[in-house]
Amino acid sequence: MKQKQDKKTSAASETKVYKSRAGWEDWLSKITLNHPLLAADEEIILGRQVQAMMRILETMKAEGTDTPKTKADKLTIKRGKRAKDRFILGNVLLVKKVALKFTYRTKMPIEDLFQDGLIGLNRAAEKFDPERGYKFSTYAFWWIRQSMARAIGIQEYAIRLPGQYHEVMGAVRGFIRDYEIKNNKRPSFDEIYAASGTKSKETFRVFMDRSAGVISLNQPLQSDPSRKNLIDQVAASSLKDPYEQIHNHDNLQFMQIAIENLQDPIQKAIMLNELKEVPQPLSNFCREFNVSRECIRNKKKQAQNILRHHLRYQV
């Protein structure tokens, strides 16, 4: 009974989540030992079984049903699933090989690249046509590569760019690295553009701008012992804070006129009090106008919004 359960183990159950790099390597070694590479005649047989299954599934999808019509169709689907699992488990080393090639152009862990490569491998197993005469690994390589490139574009970049962007920038980074090693200096933009092979110079310039990445302005500075944020360093010194401008002598007369024009007497009294060197507590206005503290706070907030609006346009 236990042997039957082991035979029913599918690729989905074997491609489990691994917690560390060592666990991933152990899992990969176990898969490759239990599922060796397919021979050419095996690929043809298994490919035909998968294609038969896909034709039945497409017919079921067109008819809007989830169950096969006959027992023969059910058996064909079962056989096709086993064949597809055999394709996937027999080619996990190919996914690892492609993932290693992507590690130099991305910060994504190789384990994540491998998982996205398995998605492409699964799609390749469904689309592979053995009657065309080429090997499955040749066909699957493109699907695996595209799946990893798409994952990098989605997860690593805040601004999503076309798929060919990653191929171009990968070649550009390799050219810059080799150029710096050989000449001890960074190549010029025209030299990089010539090596990229792109037709439009403006398009390539956009690609180069996007390759710089995106950082948060709230990111703390590592070199600053006070741990200030980056936004504190890039703020323009020519811009003044609106609250500081209120106390500026040049704007004081304007603020007094604006306060006098307030229609609400409570708002006017509160804001005139704010201009004093020693303002009275807000509780005094509660007794003076016979209103609650919440009402006084709301009146103050409304008056500040009105004055801020006037100040913005006056400045």
Side-chain angles (χ1 to χ4, degrees):
M1 184 70 179
K2 187 176 180 181
Q3 292 179 351
K4 288 185 178 181
Q5 292 178 350
D6 293 339
K7 289 181 180 179
K8 292 182 179 180
T9 302
S10 64
S13 62
E14 293 200 40
T15 54
K16 57 186 178 181
V17 177
Y18 23 78
K19 296 182 179 180
S20 64
R21 179 68 178 270
W24 175 68
E25 293 285 359
D26 294 340
W27 171 86
L28 194 59
S29 301
K30 181 180 177 181
I31 292 295
T32 52
L33 286 175
N34 295 335
H35 304 278
L37 289 174
L38 297 172
D41 54 345
E42 289 181 303
E43 290 185 354
I44 295 174
I45 296 173
L46 295 176
R48 289 171 178 170
Q49 293 175 355
V50 174
Q51 288 302 303
M53 176 192 69
M54 295 305 297
R55 285 192 292 269
I56 295 175
L57 292 177
E58 289 174 2
T59 303
M60 291 169 51
K61 183 178 179 180
E63 296 176 351
T65 179
D66 296 331
T67 55
K69 290 182 179 180
T70 63
K71 290 184 178 180
D73 289 346
K74 186 176 182 180
L75 181 62
T76 301
I77 293 175
K78 186 177 181 180
R79 189 184 294 115
K81 288 182 178 179
R82 287 200 300 264
K84 189 176 78 167
D85 292 344
R86 184 68 183 89
F87 266 126
I88 295 173
L89 296 173
N91 288 273
V92 290
L93 280 180
L94 177 62
V95 181
K96 179 185 177 182
K97 180 180 178 181
V98 179
L100 288 172
K101 292 184 177 181
F102 273 88
T103 52
Y104 76 93
R105 66 174 69 175
T106 178
K107 297 179 182 179
M108 286 179 61
I110 189 173
E111 294 87 349
D112 293 346
L113 287 172
F114 183 81
Q115 291 282 18
D116 290 300
L118 287 177
I119 298 174
L121 179 61
N122 179 78
R123 186 60 176 162
E126 295 176 350
K127 302 285 288 183
F128 176 63
D129 186 358
E131 309 303 332
R132 292 181 178 269
Y134 44 74
K135 295 187 64 176
F136 175 74
S137 58
T138 305
Y139 180 73
F141 180 85
W142 185 89
W143 283 98
I144 296 169
R145 189 165 167 267
Q146 287 296 110
S147 181
M148 290 183 183
R150 189 180 300 109
I152 292 172
I154 294 174
Q155 299 181 25
E156 189 164 288
Y157 295 95
I159 303 173
R160 190 169 181 180
L161 296 169
Q164 66 268 22
Y165 160 81
H166 309 289
E167 300 179 11
V168 172
M169 295 313 300
V172 165
R173 292 190 188 99
F175 169 76
I176 294 175
R177 182 174 60 250
D178 296 339
Y179 188 94
E180 289 177 344
I181 293 174
K182 185 177 180 180
N183 301 291
N184 293 325
K185 65 177 183 178
R186 185 177 177 84
S188 64
F189 174 80
D190 292 334
E191 290 173 327
I192 297 174
Y193 169 69
S196 67
T198 55
K199 297 180 180 180
S200 173
K201 198 170 186 177
E202 292 303 320
T203 301
F204 179 71
R205 192 182 300 275
V206 172
F207 282 0
M208 289 293 292
D209 292 340
R210 298 298 183 271
S211 65
V214 179
I215 60 175
S216 173
L217 290 176
N218 293 321
Q219 175 180 333
L221 296 175
Q222 299 293 335
S223 59
D224 189 358
S226 62
R227 307 295 290 176
K228 292 183 178 180
N229 294 339
L230 181 61
I231 193 172
D232 298 328
Q233 305 298 317
V234 300
S237 59
S238 61
L239 297 179
K240 298 180 180 179
D241 188 273
Y243 291 102
E244 294 179 358
Q245 294 186 18
I246 292 178
H247 299 284
N248 190 295
H249 178 72
D250 297 336
N251 295 320
L252 182 59
Q253 185 178 4
F254 170 81
M255 290 304 302
Q256 290 175 340
I257 296 174
I259 292 173
E260 290 293 340
N261 291 331
L262 290 174
Q263 301 297 323
D264 193 307
I266 302 180
Q267 294 178 354
K268 183 186 298 184
I270 293 173
M271 297 314 299
L272 287 174
N273 178 64
E274 292 293 323
L275 294 179
K276 297 179 181 179
E277 293 185 3
V278 183
Q280 300 179 17
L282 294 180
S283 57
N284 293 354
F285 297 100
C286 296
R287 294 189 294 269
E288 180 180 349
F289 293 100
N290 194 24
V291 293
S292 64
R293 294 179 63 87
E294 182 66 23
C295 178
I296 293 296
R297 285 193 291 267
N298 290 335
K299 293 289 185 180
K300 180 180 179 181
K301 186 176 181 180
Q302 293 169 3
Q304 288 176 338
N305 290 335
I306 295 172
L307 296 177
R308 188 180 295 113
H309 175 78
H310 288 306
L311 181 62
R312 184 180 297 116
Y313 285 96
Q314 187 266 347
V315 175

